[in-house]
Amino acid sequence: MAASGGRRGCGRRGYGRSGDGERGAAVVDFVLVGALLTLFFMAIIQLTLVLHVRNTLIDAAASGARYGTLADRSAADARERTAQLIRVALNPDFANDVSTSETSYQGVPTLEVTVRAPLPVLGLIGPRESLEVKGHAPIRP
């Protein structure tokens, strides 16, 4: 037959061991891709949390402003209502800085409720007073 010394194949060296140089590559690929996907997933979850906190604060400020403009309520009631809504929906630390003021919007007197809260960077932890939202309601005569 052939003068290849009893070996099968086309005479290429290492024919039977072509995958030996890539042993363990699948594990490394899995770890690298898995870590990258986990990082993206956690970033999306954190962005969702930031948007949830922001929208909750906006809703609490607007609701507190509307509550404070009722006939038998005052700006102090608006502050307390806003802080109460924030404490129920989020961490009580987010309700530490709630203020009210009377402003004018397009010639209409309004009650403005301002909430300054931490921007959640890592979970609910973040730099203080980085997030500021306002809610408005017209003051009824």
Side-chain angles (χ1 to χ4, degrees):
M1 289 196 66
S4 64
R7 289 175 51 194
R8 290 184 169 172
C10 61
R12 193 171 58 154
R13 214 176 131 177
Y15 178 72
R17 301 176 292 174
S18 64
D20 287 347
E22 294 185 18
R23 179 172 282 170
V27 174
V28 173
D29 288 345
F30 177 77
V31 169
L32 292 175
V33 171
L36 187 61
L37 286 176
T38 301
L39 183 67
F40 284 147
F41 179 73
M42 295 305 290
I44 290 170
I45 294 295
Q46 186 62 39
L47 178 63
T48 304
L49 179 64
V50 168
L51 291 175
H52 168 70
V53 167
R54 179 181 166 272
N55 289 338
T56 301
L57 292 175
I58 289 171
D59 184 53
S63 193
R66 286 190 299 272
Y67 185 77
T69 59
L70 295 175
D72 58 342
R73 302 294 175 199
S74 66
D77 293 326
R79 274 192 305 275
E80 183 54 39
R81 176 71 171 174
T82 301
Q84 177 188 15
L85 290 171
I86 293 170
R87 281 192 297 267
V88 168
L90 299 171
N91 190 337
D93 292 338
F94 287 86
N96 287 341
D97 192 0
V98 178
S99 61
T100 58
S101 63
E102 289 188 18
T103 62
S104 178
Y105 179 74
Q106 294 182 351
V108 177
T110 60
L111 178 64
E112 179 180 82
V113 176
T114 304
V115 178
R116 288 179 193 85
L119 179 68
V121 176
L122 183 61
L124 288 175
I125 301 168
R128 291 223 157 283
E129 298 181 10
S130 298
L131 185 61
E132 179 177 305
V133 298
K134 295 181 180 186
H136 300 86
I139 298 174
R140 297 184 183 124

